[in-house]
Amino acid sequence: MLIDTTLREGAQLFGAYFRMETREDILSGLLRLGVDEVEVGWVGQEGLEELVRRIRHGAGETKLSVWSPCRSADIRTAATLGVDRVNIGIPVSDAHMGKRLGLNRKGLLEKLGRMVLSAGLAGINYVSVGLEDVSRADRSFALDAALLAQTMGASRIRLADSLGVLSPRDMCELVAAFRMHLDIPVAVHCHNDFGMATANAVSALQSGATFADVSVLGIGERSGIAATEELAAYMAVRGGDVKYRVEYLRDLCALVAGAAGVDIPRNKAVAGADIFACESGLHAHALSKSPELFEPYDPALIGADRKTAVGGKSGRAAVSSALGKGKTAYPAEQLDNLVASVRRMSWELGRPLTPNEFTDLADSIHKH
């Protein structure tokens, strides 16, 4: 299951400021996509209560949650927001406990136990406890914290690789260790500092985690977290999960990119403009015969289009195929001349030829 946190983690991206209308548009897009849970923001965030009120009636099966520090006043506030779940964050590494909170291990466990208990007493029916920096924490102590939270009434434990230092194998081992001892679901929050976030999230889900945090385009602190579009597409296409309406992904990515002021690389997985573009001769020729040879899924599944072009990497097969599409009567003996001309022109332009450029070039050679 996917917990989208674009409006919490994503909003922490340096320089990103989402206006209320934009937050509502993003939330509507996430509901249309069909994510299982949306973390709509954090306690104390301006306009949070209004946002929840605006979208509450249209949330359908998607659960709405909010992030809260492990403080009694914030937890009491969270209980009044009308969300389905409250995600309480608390660090479990010694460095964070000592330098951020001024607590030792015993003090942190006492605080955690009190806060989870108080959340239940405040009327919060679903308390998720996020163990921050768990990847650098003492494993046995982190397990003690998780078990205490479970005993005090927590409904979920969220494991945060806060600095993105884990590999997929490390993530599998971490999740398996917690799943072995817990009776409540495990979630993961994977940062992308070494480019591992999406792979770690997939590995976690395959190793027994029930939930994975994601954000659109992976935006968030520093290099962000696992990407909504990548996880949703993978689970829909490879996992056969029909609840995710992945045809809406690219529009959602464009919306978030504009709002956050980030560019989408043209080769960005799922969201990029050129991920189904092909110029290479062998690949282009194969695509014309059987697209699945060089495409992992039908572009139409995510609302994308296939495009092929001839250029400096094209050979006889690709150029012949392009001629056939253009319905140009062209003598076979002149094909080599056309291939050479296509390659030369493409290198001069520094890009593949447009359909009109190719047609004009073919006609010019044909006439001579």
Side-chain angles (χ1 to χ4, degrees):
M1 298 184 186
L2 299 183
I3 305 171
D4 187 280
T5 182
T6 306
L7 296 176
R8 198 276 297 178
E9 174 72 46
Q12 295 175 244
L13 173 69
F14 181 80
Y17 294 89
F18 299 149
R19 299 179 182 275
M20 176 59 74
E21 293 74 17
T22 302
R23 290 157 70 183
E24 190 171 3
D25 288 343
I26 292 171
L27 188 42
S28 296
L30 293 169
L31 296 177
R32 189 179 304 115
L33 170 61
V35 295
D36 306 273
E37 179 177 333
V38 177
E39 195 170 46
V40 296
W42 59 90
V43 173
Q45 184 182 20
E46 184 178 355
L48 179 60
E49 190 170 2
E50 180 185 354
L51 177 64
V52 174
R53 180 180 56 78
R54 287 188 182 187
I55 207 70
R56 175 78 271 180
H57 69 280
E61 296 297 316
T62 299
K63 302 300 183 183
L64 302 182
S65 63
V66 65
W67 186 88
S68 172
C70 195
R71 294 195 294 257
S72 57
D74 293 302
I75 291 170
R76 287 195 300 271
T77 299
T80 68
L81 293 174
V83 294
D84 303 298
R85 298 170 178 176
V86 174
N87 302 313
I88 299 173
I90 189 166
V92 289
S93 65
D94 290 323
H96 276 267
M97 284 187 284
K99 295 178 181 179
R100 275 179 58 194
L101 303 183
L103 295 173
N104 58 22
R105 294 183 180 183
K106 180 181 178 181
L108 183 120
L109 290 178
E110 291 175 350
K111 180 182 180 68
L112 174 60
R114 289 196 310 271
M115 294 304 101
V116 176
L117 179 60
S118 67
L121 293 174
I124 300 172
N125 295 322
Y126 193 107
V127 178
S128 175
V129 173
L131 304 183
E132 299 170 5
D133 204 26
V134 70
S135 47
R136 297 192 300 168
D138 178 80
R139 179 72 58 81
S140 63
F141 173 72
L143 277 168
D144 287 343
L147 288 168
L148 174 63
Q150 176 179 269
T151 299
M152 301 308 290
S155 300
R156 179 174 68 199
I157 297 296
R158 184 154 66 169
L159 307 175
D161 181 17
S162 301
L163 295 184
V165 297
L166 297 183
S167 70
R169 184 174 65 180
D170 297 332
M171 181 58 71
C172 291
E173 293 173 353
L174 178 70
V175 169
F178 279 79
R179 288 295 302 122
M180 184 184 302
H181 294 91
L182 293 173
D183 298 320
I184 56 177
V186 170
V188 293
H189 182 89
C190 305
H191 273 266
N192 200 43
D193 297 86
F194 290 96
M196 301 282 189
T198 294
N200 280 344
V202 170
S203 297
L205 292 171
Q206 292 177 342
S207 299
T210 305
F211 301 89
D213 284 8
V214 291
S215 72
V216 178
L217 297 175
I219 63 171
E221 287 277 7
R222 304 185 310 279
S223 53
I225 64 171
T228 302
E229 67 279 4
E230 294 172 2
L231 262 294
Y234 185 85
M235 293 171 71
V237 176
R238 298 292 295 167
D241 199 330
V242 297
K243 66 185 171 186
Y244 300 120
R245 302 288 300 278
V246 293
E247 64 268 27
Y248 297 119
L249 280 172
R250 289 165 69 86
D251 287 343
L252 180 59
C253 289
L255 170 64
V256 172
V262 298
D263 295 325
I264 301 178
R266 61 190 179 93
N267 64 336
K268 171 73 170 67
V270 183
D274 287 345
I275 58 172
F276 290 102
C278 183
E279 176 193 351
S280 177
L282 289 174
H283 287 200
H285 183 56
L287 285 173
S288 68
K289 292 186 172 183
S290 186
E292 68 273 11
L293 292 175
F294 285 105
E295 289 177 349
Y297 52 88
D298 186 344
L301 287 176
I302 59 167
D305 296 313
R306 179 185 301 116
K307 57 182 178 181
T308 58
V310 294
K313 305 159 196 172
S314 301
R316 290 171 57 90
V319 172
S320 295
S321 178
L323 283 172
K325 291 178 181 178
K327 298 180 180 179
T328 304
Y330 205 89
E333 62 271 16
Q334 294 185 4
L335 182 58
D336 287 339
N337 187 17
L338 178 57
V339 170
S341 298
V342 165
R343 290 176 173 175
R344 182 170 56 253
M345 184 176 179
S346 178
W347 279 105
E348 290 173 352
L349 294 171
R351 58 170 173 77
L353 305 188
T354 66
N356 286 339
E357 288 170 342
F358 175 71
T359 299
D360 290 344
L361 182 62
D363 288 346
S364 174
I365 292 176
H366 179 55
K367 291 176 181 178
H368 293 86

